[in-house]
Amino acid sequence: MFKTIEWKNNSVVMIDQRLLPTEEIYRTLLPTEEIYRTYKDFLDVAEAIREMVVRGAPAIGVAAAMGVALGALQINAKERKGFAKEFEKVCKIMASTRPTAVNLFWAIERMKRVLKQNPKSGADELKQLLVQEAKNIHKQDIEINKRMGRHGSKLIKNKATILTHCNAGALATAGYGTALGVIRAAVEDGKKIKVFADETRPFLQGSRLTAWELMKDGIDTTLITDNMAGYMMKKGLIDVVIVGADRIAANGDTANKIGTYSVAVLAKEHKIPFYVAAPISTIDLKIKNGEKIPIEERDIREVTHIKDIPVAPGGIKVRNPAFDVTPNKFITAIITEKGVSRKSFEKSLKRLYSLTWPSP
Amino acid sequence: MFKTIEWKNNSVVMIDQRLLPTEEIYRTLLPTEEIYRTYKDFLDVAEAIREMVVRGAPAIGVAAAMGVALGALQINAKERKGFAKEFEKVCKIMASTRPTAVNLFWAIERMKRVLKQNPKSGADELKQLLVQEAKNIHKQDIEINKRMGRHGSKLIKNKATILTHCNAGALATAGYGTALGVIRAAVEDGKKIKVFADETRPFLQGSRLTAWELMKDGIDTTLITDNMAGYMMKKGLIDVVIVGADRIAANGDTANKIGTYSVAVLAKEHKIPFYVAAPISTIDLKIKNGEKIPIEERDIREVTHIKDIPVAPGGIKVRNPAFDVTPNKFITAIITEKGVSRKSFEKSLKRLYSLTWPSP
């Protein structure tokens, strides 16, 4: 099994998700070592997050934590005050990489807390503690996903066909996945599950990553273009929708990959349950509703070109919002590692958020 | 201005739409003569329709008529009976190219009628009459589109932003376009119009053709991926949707490019008017409702590859329906060359269909 991200010999190793699926591209173009990239400079980790070498809210969180740890190791200051000042700069750079996934900021906050919780430690000790914390975030993320899977599997009937959008899988997390984690858990529970995967333009996370991941696990997967989801629902081929999330507001409004909102509207029209699977770290109680979630607009080249080949006339105007917000009224339930949140989400999310983990 | 299709020196000349937009691809790869293809054998025209050198229901109709005329010229039989027998074979081959767009069958029927209406003509005379009829179909299609545009423009307010899906433009017809014809007419009427064009996976008719056509006409156009339409609607950026059609059932249910149904559901959710623009020849009164319209499934390579580059893991299961059906309840009105059809469509379409053209 592939590893999305790893801390190894004081560097961050990540699979370059832009190059996947390797089956085709790797064999013709690249040696294995080119697929896994090793980062020794936190600025390169920041760039890797920006350029989507790594993507998916939980994986971005882990990468940011490891990036911050790497940045800490690179600080020369020996005494605490100088270290703390440099460390603040590292965190700021890491926080500027992508705006929508709140896990990024959550992970950086967790790293900052290490300094607060160890007010007497010097630079060297802090470095070790920060590396340890990044490793903990990584390890806990897999555990969180597995717990989420257990909660989510109960919502999935045997012989269900599940539609998913984008990649909320092992590649979007430290491992196992959020939406795909629920699918994996249902399969582990002995259920016969079929999956439809939206290809997810413009970055094609569905065709390149989700289809690849699920095939590797031997899960029955059918790839469709995003605009076929409505057709499949109308034909009665979809029983349930599960997606991940990049940020969930206090009222349950959910930012996720562009196109999620359309899938949610279609699910409602066809009376199909629509589930969001995300760790508690994706919930942003400080944001009241979805309108306040910042939506990243990315380079128009993602739309006008596919792997450097132009598919649109030069000079055309393009919009490229990377996410959209699905209002809570379209969401049946939100699956977290601490349990399943149902309406009213405001109350229920707040309660889950405050539970000590693991939940009783 | 480019020409979609033309009858020239007893051959059919078509712009190869698979190679567009030329701006980019032509300059690097191809001489002009490669963009326009000349067909001297009706079997090659049939193949060109199948392979989507030409596409768009009205253009397919014109290409089929010209293909049939070309096939007629290739018949060696000198007497009428032998000619008619061979002619029947030509029509059958042409009818087998694509199943959904009814204009194909409508055009072939019109060609067959030439034989019925000239019961005494011999092979040579029939050949000339058939070529003339194909030219008439071509010429009338442009006229039809312009009349449709006039009717449709009245529905479009000044400063409207219009969303369109796929390409229902000059490239989908003999010229001017159906949905894009309405847009062109509104612009000619002095209205300030903005257009959002869905890229329309998998064949990218939106990014490759619609964006290209509208840019050439200086119409303010913004390209988006299909899954961004919901986002733009929710932001209040879309005032009206106009699409073309491949077949309209007697009750107004409309088959059009895959993804149209999703756009229609989204338009209803956002209370945005949803118009279909299509010639009377796209209406199939023999088919009671949309469920009876045959939906073509095309090669999965259209989804797994983009211009020969794989974007999905090898061996993945894929669905590739080329069309979907939008039930009449999602359609505000159907714009034809004979006027605008409103609910109940069953009555209204029947009335328009039976009107002598041009309508009084």
Side-chain angles (χ1 to χ4, degrees):
Chain A
M1 192 61 180
F2 61 88
K3 281 185 176 148
T4 305
I5 181 166
E6 221 183 340
W7 182 270
K8 217 169 166 179
N9 309 324
N10 283 346
S11 49
V12 183
V13 180
M14 293 192 274
I15 191 165
D16 189 341
Q17 302 194 24
R18 299 168 306 175
L19 303 176
L20 297 175
T22 51
E23 260 74 352
E24 282 77 7
I25 296 169
Y26 152 81
R27 254 192 266 130
T28 49
L29 299 173
L30 288 165
T32 315
E33 53 268 35
E34 295 276 316
I35 300 283
Y36 284 92
R37 294 187 187 270
T38 300
Y39 298 91
K40 294 176 181 301
D41 187 332
F42 84 99
L43 289 172
D44 294 333
V45 175
E47 189 61 15
I49 294 173
R50 212 173 276 126
E51 295 293 321
M52 294 171 73
V53 169
V54 64
R55 26 64 52 202
I60 288 173
V62 174
M66 289 187 178
V68 166
L70 199 59
L73 294 184
Q74 292 174 261
I75 296 172
N76 288 324
K78 285 291 168 213
E79 26 61 78
R80 182 178 167 103
K81 207 179 156 188
F83 176 85
K85 206 177 149 191
E86 288 301 307
F87 180 74
E88 208 36 64
K89 281 188 205 162
V90 168
C91 291
K92 209 173 162 188
I93 287 168
M94 207 54 70
S96 72
T97 50
R98 297 194 68 191
T100 305
V102 77
N103 310 60
L104 176 82
F105 310 104
W106 168 88
I108 295 168
E109 278 311 309
R110 243 184 94 166
M111 297 300 279
K112 283 183 179 174
R113 221 182 300 150
V114 171
L115 268 72
K116 282 181 210 139
Q117 286 169 344
N118 298 279
K120 304 214 164 137
S121 308
D124 283 347
E125 198 186 338
L126 286 173
K127 286 179 184 180
Q128 295 321 307
L129 289 167
L130 286 163
V131 168
Q132 196 47 55
E133 185 68 352
K135 284 182 178 173
N136 286 345
I137 289 175
H138 180 260
K139 200 177 135 196
Q140 285 164 9
D141 189 57
I142 298 176
E143 184 55 31
I144 283 168
N145 287 328
K146 294 208 164 157
R147 281 172 180 268
M148 203 185 302
R150 298 264 68 77
H151 290 300
S153 172
K154 291 177 197 146
L155 303 173
I156 309 301
K157 292 197 182 111
N158 189 22
K159 294 186 179 168
T161 300
I162 301 170
L163 175 73
T164 189
H165 187 73
C166 196
N167 173 268
L171 285 164
T173 60
Y176 204 68
T178 55
L180 299 194
V182 172
I183 291 169
R184 287 192 164 98
V187 170
E188 284 164 18
D189 287 345
K191 292 171 193 168
K192 283 203 156 188
I193 301 294
K194 289 185 183 179
V195 177
F196 273 78
D198 281 350
E199 68 172 2
T200 316
R201 279 284 287 150
F203 216 67
L204 298 168
Q205 291 94 335
S207 50
R208 297 190 303 105
L209 309 179
T210 296
W212 183 75
E213 257 197 69
L214 293 178
M215 267 186 90
K216 272 188 179 298
D217 276 11
I219 295 171
D220 184 333
T221 304
T222 302
L223 175 65
I224 56 173
T225 60
D226 301 306
N227 60 19
M228 290 173 193
Y231 177 92
M232 298 303 161
M233 288 184 187
K234 191 149 156 278
K235 291 273 173 201
L237 297 174
I238 309 293
D239 300 310
V240 45
V241 177
I242 314 178
V243 297
D246 288 82
R247 192 184 302 214
I248 300 172
N251 71 344
D253 290 354
T254 295
N256 190 45
K257 182 50 54 195
I258 187 74
T260 303
Y261 171 58
S262 298
V263 177
V265 171
L266 287 165
K268 193 183 160 220
E269 173 69 27
H270 296 89
K271 299 183 174 60
I272 296 168
F274 183 92
Y275 295 115
V276 172
I280 292 289
S281 56
T282 303
I283 301 167
D284 186 356
L285 292 181
K286 289 196 302 294
I287 280 191
K288 227 174 145 180
N289 63 54
E291 280 170 40
K292 308 273 165 53
I293 300 175
I295 300 296
E296 176 183 14
E297 289 248 356
R298 291 184 62 83
D299 191 342
I300 67 165
R301 217 179 141 87
E302 290 181 359
V303 176
T304 57
H305 289 66
I306 294 173
K307 294 196 183 283
D308 285 331
I309 294 182
V311 292
I316 186 76
K317 277 207 283 188
V318 178
R319 284 291 304 275
N320 186 18
F323 305 94
D324 58 26
V325 173
T326 299
N328 57 18
K329 70 167 176 171
F330 295 97
I331 300 169
T332 311
I334 299 170
I335 303 159
T336 77
E337 72 274 25
K338 292 187 187 175
V340 175
S341 171
R342 292 187 182 269
K343 285 161 193 170
S344 84
F345 290 121
E346 197 145 353
K347 239 188 211 166
S348 151
L349 287 176
K350 209 170 165 184
R351 192 186 64 83
L352 287 181
Y353 196 93
S354 64
L355 282 181
T356 326
W357 189 78
S359 64
Chain B
M1 191 64 180
F2 62 88
K3 280 185 176 147
T4 304
I5 182 167
E6 221 183 339
W7 182 270
K8 216 169 165 179
N9 308 325
N10 284 347
S11 49
V12 183
V13 180
M14 293 192 275
I15 192 167
D16 188 342
Q17 302 194 25
R18 299 168 306 176
L19 304 176
L20 296 176
T22 50
E23 260 75 351
E24 282 77 7
I25 296 167
Y26 151 81
R27 255 192 264 130
T28 50
L29 298 173
L30 288 166
T32 314
E33 53 267 35
E34 295 276 316
I35 301 285
Y36 284 92
R37 294 187 187 270
T38 301
Y39 297 92
K40 294 176 182 299
D41 187 333
F42 84 99
L43 289 172
D44 294 334
V45 174
E47 189 60 15
I49 293 172
R50 212 173 276 127
E51 295 294 319
M52 294 172 72
V53 169
V54 65
R55 25 65 50 202
I60 288 173
V62 174
M66 288 187 178
V68 166
L70 200 58
L73 294 184
Q74 291 175 261
I75 297 172
N76 288 325
K78 285 293 167 210
E79 25 61 76
R80 183 180 167 104
K81 206 178 157 190
F83 177 86
K85 206 177 151 192
E86 287 302 308
F87 180 75
E88 207 38 62
K89 281 189 205 161
V90 169
C91 289
K92 208 173 163 188
I93 287 169
M94 207 55 68
S96 72
T97 49
R98 298 194 67 192
T100 305
V102 77
N103 310 61
L104 176 82
F105 310 105
W106 169 87
I108 295 168
E109 278 312 307
R110 242 184 95 165
M111 296 301 279
K112 283 184 180 173
R113 222 182 299 149
V114 170
L115 268 72
K116 281 182 210 140
Q117 285 169 342
N118 298 278
K120 305 219 162 133
S121 308
D124 283 347
E125 199 187 337
L126 286 172
K127 286 179 184 179
Q128 294 323 306
L129 289 168
L130 285 163
V131 169
Q132 196 47 54
E133 184 69 352
K135 284 182 178 174
N136 286 346
I137 289 174
H138 180 260
K139 199 177 136 198
Q140 285 163 9
D141 188 58
I142 299 175
E143 184 55 29
I144 283 167
N145 286 330
K146 293 207 165 161
R147 281 171 180 268
M148 203 185 301
R150 297 265 68 76
H151 290 301
S153 172
K154 291 176 196 145
L155 303 173
I156 309 301
K157 291 196 183 111
N158 189 23
K159 294 184 180 168
T161 299
I162 301 171
L163 174 73
T164 190
H165 186 73
C166 195
N167 173 269
L171 285 164
T173 60
Y176 203 69
T178 55
L180 300 195
V182 172
I183 291 169
R184 287 193 164 98
V187 170
E188 285 164 17
D189 288 344
K191 292 170 192 168
K192 283 201 158 189
I193 301 294
K194 288 185 182 178
V195 178
F196 274 77
D198 281 350
E199 68 172 4
T200 318
R201 280 283 288 151
F203 216 66
L204 297 169
Q205 291 94 335
S207 51
R208 297 190 303 104
L209 310 179
T210 295
W212 184 74
E213 256 197 70
L214 293 178
M215 267 186 91
K216 274 191 178 296
D217 276 10
I219 295 171
D220 184 334
T221 304
T222 303
L223 175 65
I224 56 173
T225 61
D226 301 307
N227 60 19
M228 290 173 193
Y231 177 91
M232 299 303 161
M233 288 183 187
K234 190 149 156 281
K235 290 274 173 199
L237 297 174
I238 309 293
D239 300 309
V240 45
V241 177
I242 315 180
V243 297
D246 288 83
R247 192 184 301 215
I248 301 172
N251 71 344
D253 290 354
T254 295
N256 190 47
K257 182 51 54 194
I258 187 73
T260 303
Y261 171 58
S262 298
V263 177
V265 170
L266 287 165
K268 192 181 161 223
E269 172 69 26
H270 296 88
K271 299 184 174 58
I272 294 168
F274 182 92
Y275 295 115
V276 172
I280 292 290
S281 55
T282 303
I283 301 167
D284 186 356
L285 292 181
K286 290 196 301 292
I287 279 190
K288 227 174 145 180
N289 62 54
E291 281 170 39
K292 308 273 163 56
I293 300 175
I295 299 295
E296 176 183 14
E297 289 248 358
R298 292 184 61 84
D299 191 343
I300 67 164
R301 217 180 141 86
E302 289 181 359
V303 175
T304 57
H305 288 66
I306 293 171
K307 293 194 183 283
D308 286 332
I309 294 183
V311 292
I316 186 78
K317 278 207 282 189
V318 178
R319 287 290 304 273
N320 187 17
F323 305 94
D324 58 25
V325 173
T326 299
N328 57 18
K329 71 168 176 170
F330 294 97
I331 300 169
T332 312
I334 298 169
I335 303 160
T336 77
E337 73 273 27
K338 292 186 185 174
V340 176
S341 171
R342 291 186 183 269
K343 285 160 194 172
S344 86
F345 289 122
E346 196 145 355
K347 236 188 210 166
S348 151
L349 286 176
K350 209 169 165 185
R351 191 186 65 82
L352 286 181
Y353 196 92
S354 64
L355 281 182
T356 326
W357 188 77
S359 63

